[in-house]
Amino acid sequence: MQPTSHSFKANAHQALGNANLQKALGLMRQGFPAKRLATIARLPEFEALREEGKAIKDHVLDNLDFYLETFEKNVLARGGKVHWCRTPQEARDAVLGICRALDAKTVTKGKSMIAEEIALNDYLEANHIEPIETDLGEYIIQIRKEYPSHIIAPAIHLVKEQVAQSFRETHKDLDPKRVLDEAPTLVAEARTILREKFLAADVGITGANFCIAETGSTIIVTNEGNGDLTQTLTKAHIVLASLEKIVPTLEDVSTILRLLARSATGQEFSTYTTVSTGPRRPEDTDGPGELHVVFLDNGRSAMLGTEFQDMLRCIRCGACMNHCPVYATVGGHAYGWVYPGPMGAVLTPTLVGVEEAGHLPNASTFCGRCESVCPMKIPLPRMMRHWREREFEKKLSPATYRAGLAVWAYFAQRPALYRAAAAIATRVLGYVGRKRGRFRSLPLAAGWTQGRDMPAPEGRSFQSLWAERRKQGKAA
Amino acid sequence: MPAAPVRVGLFVTCLVDLFRPSVGFAAVKLLEAAGCTVEVPALQTCCGQPAYNSGDKASTKAIARQVIDAFDGFDYVVVPSGSCGGMIKEHYVELFADEPAMFQRVQHLAKRTYELVSFLSDVRGVDKVAARYPGVVTYHDSCSGLRELGVKAQPRKLLGGVDGLTLTELPGAEICCGFGGTFCIKYPEISDKMVADKAADIAATGADTLLAGDLGCLLNMAGKLARLGKSVRVRHVAEVLAGMTEETPPIGAPEGTR
């Protein structure tokens, strides 16, 4: 997917004017945080689990090569294969190779952000293989030819009516007069359509929430069971995962799983948590004929040892974007690529470059809510600031902004000059504004005064008044 | 009065200095009533946050050094702002992480620095202020004060003791108002929508007064409420706690209003 992050402001402008999106975001803004709070209120050890989860992931990142090799050894021991891919192209080719070897015509897919990152669907279609999304949200956006706006709930930007309309336009064989007002009806319709596709698919592709080194297993969590059907019925199950998904043991993964669903949706556990280890064995009643784990690097190993390493602790729960006031205003598409919200603001410049994605770490008030809800205690605002430091060094921010800042910094380092300038500015603005107490418009502040009044200053600076009173005090 | 007299250096903050000195005088009054002597070092201008959040570490450090020098020797440094307070208390240490020679001085400053209301409540043990404010008040939790400095219960406790004041909780009190310092300059449209949502939450409480501990948030919210024609009076919490609301109009209100 070609990033449009450089157009963040224009994207955001569009988003602000999109009534359906604003309605959908309003619901999200209330829903997720409340559910999460209610669930973690029932778990006294939640804070302790966050510390443990962070420690587990930090340990893995310090020993990533060891755990990846252990994982590979165990996958091979179970009869699976591991493909190490440095770039999106290598990953796409690995997947295509597996599909071609099996003469695959259709591929079912569980939700995978890595698949989005490498733009897998377009590549498969270009090679005459039909990918079918089985996660309901992904299915909806696939038929609408959109991309996900949230890493957990890909279609969260849509309201029910839009989904119903898309179903009518796509499922043309069904009765046009049928009622599609209720969510359960929409879900049932999707299930029926997808059921046949599951049974016909040649290859199933899923992501992995975790890859467990100890056993060579991969784990996916779903609420629909679509992942299970995707990976069990086919000739081959392909797992797409980035390097940092690795976790040492089953014990460790259960610690992190206790954090995941609670942080993501406020569920205590996802409806289905599926652990798969190796391809079908002779004594198994079902399972894929082949098991392939396609590992993608795409810049992850380059983050190790840098100020962005902590971002590799991310378990893709989505809590940060659920709680972000900026995301709640503009939605995920405004961010212009695969990963939106606070985690996207940190990760996207790593993956597509800060020249392309520079707006993302800038479009934050640093309110810190993301960091406060991150189950892995990732210091998101700090890393966004690091991006701003990189941009400053490279002079990537607009010239007018940098100039304004330079003027401010100049005065701030010269207190006497600052006080003199402040005395003038406050007197002028205070005098002009004293009748109404505020300005409806102000030169150089059009962005502010477009939608808000600007309160007038009181007319004298505190320092000048303080100095005056002290003098009077001394004289008295 | 449990504690001995202490020497406080007031960090005024650039917004209070330029826009609303009354907040500074309210802070002084509260600190003196709590048994502190207050001085205002002349060499202060800004905490450096605008430069810091724009990625300009060099300018930030230069400004920070000035602050560190100016506030040498005080028992405490008190700030009527969670955001500037957080900058000095939490971020200066990060800023000078690569300068071991500065480390001790920065740590020492960080330890002595407090946001105003949490200083009164947590350090000076102030339980109740002698103030009167008849009104229905709702309180916005400014982000940095809340998340960096733990300011949450203290203003509510002190407001609860103000004569005649009724406190009503703001739904979404912890949601950012959209000011964000440089953010409202860089992304004014998004900022405007965020403050519009905040204004709707405020109006829904039915409160006649909005208070908070950070002037940036207050200017933002007052400006929006005024543009929307809402009659909510907006002030810094220090003004109410110091009983100084008769002396200045609310933020953004015409002269002569109370």
Side-chain angles (χ1 to χ4, degrees):
Chain A
M1 220 193 86
Q2 278 298 98
T4 65
S5 312
H6 57 274
S7 310
F8 176 80
K9 274 185 119 158
N11 298 345
H13 178 76
Q14 255 199 319
L16 288 166
N18 181 335
N20 277 326
L21 173 65
Q22 291 300 320
K23 185 171 167 203
L25 290 172
L27 294 168
M28 185 210 86
R29 188 177 171 240
Q30 310 281 38
F32 279 135
K35 291 202 184 93
R36 173 186 171 275
L37 261 183
T39 312
I40 71 179
R42 293 197 293 268
L43 188 70
E45 61 265 44
F46 186 74
E47 281 306 310
L49 284 172
R50 282 177 85 201
E51 272 304 323
E52 266 194 66
K54 172 180 186 289
I56 292 167
K57 273 292 191 173
D58 280 341
H59 170 73
V60 167
L61 295 172
D62 284 341
N63 299 281
L64 192 59
D65 50 356
F66 169 74
Y67 285 114
L68 286 171
E69 287 175 347
T70 308
F71 176 78
E72 180 187 44
K73 196 180 66 177
N74 287 315
V75 171
L76 294 172
R78 303 289 193 144
K81 285 206 177 73
V82 177
H83 308 253
W84 300 101
C85 304
R86 282 163 289 208
T87 64
Q89 187 58 48
E90 286 183 12
R92 286 192 290 264
D93 286 337
V95 173
L96 185 62
I98 298 161
C99 292
R100 283 230 171 102
L102 293 166
D103 198 25
K105 301 282 185 298
T106 63
V107 162
T108 39
K109 285 181 72 232
K111 201 170 72 62
S112 164
M113 299 314 291
I114 298 300
E116 296 291 332
E117 194 178 315
I118 66 174
L120 182 64
N121 285 4
D122 289 343
Y123 193 67
L124 290 174
E125 281 168 3
N127 283 282
H128 314 293
I129 298 171
E130 189 198 356
I132 297 145
E133 296 292 347
T134 64
D135 170 282
L136 179 59
E138 288 281 351
Y139 176 74
I140 292 167
I141 63 174
Q142 185 181 38
I143 63 179
R144 291 174 62 90
K145 298 198 183 358
E146 290 177 354
Y147 62 94
S149 71
H150 189 286
I151 60 175
I152 301 301
I156 200 152
H157 56 287
L158 301 170
V159 295
K160 217 169 21 153
E161 291 73 23
Q162 290 172 291
V163 178
Q165 186 178 357
S166 298
F167 276 22
R168 286 192 200 286
E169 286 166 9
T170 312
H171 307 154
K172 294 214 181 56
D173 294 340
L174 299 178
D175 177 9
K177 291 200 217 71
R178 70 195 186 285
V179 175
L180 286 177
D181 290 345
E182 298 301 315
T185 330
L186 292 166
V187 173
E189 182 163 311
R191 279 192 83 202
T192 320
I193 304 278
L194 289 170
R195 212 67 177 182
E196 295 169 28
K197 310 262 168 124
F198 279 126
L199 300 170
D202 302 305
V203 168
I205 301 178
T206 67
N209 290 87
F210 306 103
C211 300
I212 303 163
E214 172 183 53
T215 55
S217 309
T218 59
I219 292 190
I220 53 169
V221 305
T222 67
N223 284 316
E224 298 150 38
N226 57 299
D228 293 34
L229 290 174
T230 300
Q231 69 186 43
T232 321
L233 303 175
T234 50
K235 297 180 202 146
H237 173 205
I238 302 176
V239 177
L240 282 175
S242 48
L243 295 183
E244 81 280 16
K245 289 297 178 77
I246 203 93
V247 172
T249 64
L250 286 167
E251 183 90 32
D252 293 327
V253 88
S254 61
T255 300
I256 303 179
L257 280 170
R258 296 179 73 196
L259 294 163
L260 179 60
R262 287 184 168 94
S263 304
T265 57
Q267 293 168 279
E268 278 166 349
F269 229 56
S270 308
T271 311
Y272 296 86
T273 300
T274 307
V275 187
S276 44
T277 314
R280 179 182 189 162
R281 294 166 301 180
E283 64 270 31
D284 290 336
T285 50
D286 55 33
E290 295 175 17
L291 184 278
H292 298 262
V293 179
V294 174
F295 265 125
L296 176 68
D297 186 339
N298 197 24
R300 270 56 170 195
S301 55
M303 288 165 72
L304 292 169
T306 72
E307 56 204 346
F308 298 105
Q309 174 168 319
D310 290 350
M311 194 59 224
L312 294 169
R313 292 204 293 269
C314 178
I315 58 174
R316 305 292 193 266
C317 70
C320 58
M321 59 196 77
N322 290 345
H323 290 79
C324 175
V326 174
Y327 180 95
T329 310
V330 300
H333 286 157
Y335 293 79
W337 202 55
V338 177
Y339 302 105
M343 57 81 63
V346 176
L347 193 58
T348 309
T350 321
L351 301 180
V352 307
V354 74
E355 291 80 1
E356 166 64 41
H359 270 299
L360 272 44
N362 273 282
S364 168
T365 61
F366 287 168
C367 78
R369 209 175 181 211
C370 51
E371 180 175 2
S372 73
V373 299
C374 175
M376 307 306 284
K377 300 189 124 173
I378 299 170
L380 293 155
R382 183 193 303 163
M383 289 188 290
M384 289 186 229
R385 191 182 293 110
H386 287 320
W387 280 122
R388 297 183 189 188
E389 286 158 14
R390 303 259 177 113
E391 286 174 281
F392 185 80
E393 283 159 28
K394 295 184 186 190
K395 298 195 189 344
L396 289 174
S397 25
T400 44
Y401 181 73
R402 277 184 291 116
L405 206 59
V407 169
W408 172 258
Y410 182 88
F411 278 90
Q413 290 171 64
R414 291 161 180 81
L417 203 56
Y418 181 96
R419 280 201 302 278
I424 299 169
T426 52
R427 288 249 198 212
V428 170
L429 286 172
Y431 181 78
V432 174
R434 83 201 180 290
K435 276 244 168 62
R436 279 197 80 232
R438 56 188 190 263
F439 298 99
R440 287 201 81 85
S441 71
L442 211 52
L444 303 177
W448 178 292
T449 54
Q450 185 127 22
R452 297 160 266 214
D453 289 351
M454 173 69 86
E458 281 181 332
R460 297 285 304 280
S461 73
F462 177 84
Q463 292 276 34
S464 64
L465 286 167
W466 180 258
E468 222 170 65
R469 288 194 197 186
R470 286 192 60 202
K471 237 190 284 177
Q472 288 169 357
K474 284 200 175 111
Chain B
M1 193 88 269
V6 290
R7 217 178 133 235
V8 166
L10 181 70
F11 187 88
V12 178
T13 81
C14 54
L15 287 180
V16 167
D17 187 36
L18 298 175
F19 275 88
R20 202 165 173 85
S22 303
V23 175
F25 287 108
V28 171
K29 185 176 175 192
L30 286 165
L31 289 166
E32 288 177 345
C36 306
T37 60
V38 183
E39 289 166 55
V40 184
L43 288 177
Q44 60 179 296
T45 53
C46 174
C47 64
Q49 235 189 139
Y52 190 51
N53 288 341
S54 302
D56 182 359
K57 278 176 93 165
S59 299
T60 313
K61 278 188 170 181
I63 296 168
R65 275 184 236 275
Q66 202 168 265
V67 174
I68 294 163
D69 287 339
F71 286 88
D72 236 349
F74 289 100
D75 296 325
Y76 293 101
V77 177
V78 178
V79 192
S81 157
S83 119
C84 314
M87 179 67 190
I88 298 170
K89 198 171 181 71
E90 303 294 311
H91 294 292
Y92 275 11
V93 175
E94 289 166 15
L95 192 56
F96 288 98
D98 56 352
E99 283 187 47
M102 286 296 292
F103 184 71
Q104 271 213 313
R105 294 189 71 205
V106 174
Q107 275 274 32
H108 183 51
L109 175 61
K111 284 203 175 79
R112 293 176 290 141
T113 301
Y114 286 88
E115 180 276 340
L116 174 69
V117 178
S118 68
F119 178 74
L120 294 168
S121 182
D122 302 336
V123 180
R124 298 305 291 162
V126 174
D127 272 328
K128 189 167 149 62
V129 293
R132 178 170 164 68
Y133 187 83
V136 179
V137 165
T138 195
Y139 189 85
H140 162 77
D141 292 305
S142 297
C143 300
S144 303
L146 174 69
R147 297 192 182 95
E148 292 182 340
L149 303 177
V151 179
K152 175 79 180 180
Q154 307 92 323
R156 286 167 174 81
K157 182 174 97 169
L158 292 178
L159 287 169
V162 171
D163 211 12
L165 189 154
T166 310
L167 197 53
T168 178
E169 263 308 305
L170 175 62
E174 297 186 358
I175 299 176
C176 182
C177 73
F179 175 68
T182 55
F183 177 83
C184 64
I185 298 169
K186 294 183 297 188
Y187 301 98
E189 232 194 343
I190 302 176
S191 169
D192 188 60
K193 174 63 163 72
M194 288 165 75
V195 75
D197 288 343
K198 177 64 67 173
D201 286 342
I202 293 164
T205 63
D208 57 65
T209 304
L210 168 71
L211 301 179
D214 267 76
L215 195 51
C217 310
L218 290 162
L219 290 170
N220 184 37
M221 294 184 292
K224 190 58 171 176
L225 288 163
R227 179 64 62 91
L228 293 172
K230 303 288 182 199
S231 58
V232 179
R233 287 168 285 171
V234 182
R235 291 183 183 277
H236 190 286
V237 63
E239 300 175 47
V240 168
L241 295 177
M244 288 170 71
T245 55
E246 293 298 305
E247 298 164 33
T248 16
I251 298 170
E255 65 182 355
T257 25
R258 294 294 166 260

